[in-house]
Amino acid sequence: MSAKHILIVEDEDPIREMIAFGLRRAGFEVGEATDSLTARARVADRQPDLMLVDWMLPDLSGLELTRALKRDEATRHVPIIMLTARSEESDKIAGLNGGADDYLTKPFSPRELLARINAVLRRASPSGGEEVLRAGDLALDTAGHRVSVGAETIKLGPTEYRLLHFFMTHPERVFARGQLLDRIWGGNVYVEERTVDVHIRRLRKALAPFGCDSLIQTVRGAGYRFSTRGD
Ligand code: CA
């Protein structure tokens, strides 16, 4: 499964760049557009898995852009989260009626944004693109939520399962604890980074009897990596 592609449509450079930075850090592929016309061209080029659309754009408003995309057969299934400085309830309702899948009022924290994105992506594809992920003898069946080595099933807690799933879909890359928190724990800001270590330990312990614990590698001073290659 490749990284999800998110298109940000926002004309204010500092805000767009900040969002883009946070999303790339969280493992997403990011496209950027500064107005509606460019956004339509980008979508035609490559359909994103999700769009973040600012309400105030220099040409068409974000609301009009959303309506146009949702009217178009080719793009109506692309989830859209509207971003806006407006907090009036009537605007929120207009945004959602215009076809937006969710709505976020500025200022928002990167973690809040990630949590919304992950929730909308989950809703958009409840099957989550069912497949069996493999690394050597280790197999993770996303449809059955089952992890196995050969005929043996490995019992994992829900967090360890999500960790392993994330690692197996993002192999051979180092993730800092903060990045793992963003992607596995979403918007829960009260989780400490050492929590990641606790769940990594549990995951390794569950994998150890099958000789698969070495797949989860500690990269000193950087974080963790899932790799089928030795150090
Ligand atoms: Ca704007």
Side-chain angles (χ1 to χ4, degrees), residues 17 23 44 68 99-100 120 125 132 139 145 151 153 169 179 190 200 205 208 212:
E17 284 160 12
L23 294 182
V120 168
S125 59
V132 178
H145 261 238
T153 298
T169 50
Q179 291 176 293
Y190 301 109
I200 291 278
K205 200 175 163 194
C212 295

Side-chain angles (χ1 to χ4, degrees), residues 10-12 54 56-57 106:
E10 162 67 277
D11 57 317
E12 284 156 89
D54 186 48
M56 299 294 285
L57 294 171
K106 296 174 190 170

